[in-house]
Amino acid sequence: MYTKVGLETDVQGASPHRLVALLFDGLFDAMSQASAAIAANNVELKGRALTRAVRILDEGLKAGLNPAGGELSEQLRQLYIYTSMRLTQANLHSNLDAIAECQRVLTPVREAWNSIGSHPVVRGAAQGEPVAA
C-alpha cells in the first residue's frame, strides 16, 4: 500500500521526462515478473504481467511519441511495435527467450533516456539555444 501511495505521489509531481522513466521502470518490472511467473508455472501472474507490459508499450511509450520527431520517433515506434508483438508471443507460448530479447533490445533505450535526465538542458543566455548544464 505504501509503495502505491509513493508511486502515485511520484507520478503527480513528475516532469514529462520522469513519467517516461517511470513507464520504463514499470515495463521492466512487468517483464521480470512475467519471467518469474513462467519459471514458477504461474499462468495467471504471467498473463497479468505481460498484459501490463504490452499496455505500457502501446498506451504509454508508443502513444507518447511525437510524430514530428522524425526518424528517431519512427524507429522507436517500430521497436515498440516489435517488442509488443514479441511479448504477446511470450504470453501465448510462455517463452522466456522472447522476454529476455525484449529486455535486451529495450535496455539501451531505457539507459539513454535515463542519461538524458541526468543532463538537464538550460537556455543559453545569448542565443536562447539549449545547452547542457
Side-chain angles (χ1 to χ4, degrees):
M1 174 116 173
Y2 291 112
T3 303
K4 184 177 178 184
V5 170
L7 179 62
E8 288 174 3
T9 301
D10 197 15
V11 168
Q12 289 174 353
S15 68
H17 184 274
R18 178 71 182 132
L19 289 173
V20 173
L22 289 170
L23 287 171
F24 275 118
D25 290 348
L27 172 61
F28 276 79
D29 180 58
M31 289 189 291
S32 293
Q33 283 180 1
S35 294
I38 290 171
N41 224 7
N42 186 335
V43 177
E44 182 183 349
L45 178 58
K46 173 201 69 166
R48 278 197 321 256
L50 287 172
T51 298
R52 183 173 151 236
V54 169
R55 289 188 69 197
I56 290 169
L57 281 164
D58 290 345
E59 298 172 19
L61 294 169
K62 188 175 71 170
L65 291 172
N66 183 349
E71 185 178 340
L72 177 60
S73 181
E74 179 57 25
Q75 288 175 352
L76 285 171
R77 188 177 80 74
Q78 291 300 321
L79 179 64
Y80 296 154
I81 290 169
Y82 174 77
T83 53
S84 179
M85 178 196 65
R86 290 295 287 149
L87 291 174
T88 300
Q89 291 170 344
N91 196 7
L92 291 171
H93 304 290
S94 295
N95 187 339
L96 285 170
D97 291 336
I99 297 170
E101 175 191 357
C102 292
Q103 290 171 320
R104 192 172 50 255
V105 300
L106 289 169
T107 293
V109 178
R110 181 188 195 191
E111 289 173 352
W113 187 260
N114 287 335
S115 73
I116 292 169
S118 65
H119 297 92
V121 174
V122 295
R123 296 281 170 198
Q127 298 89 359
E129 295 180 13
V131 294

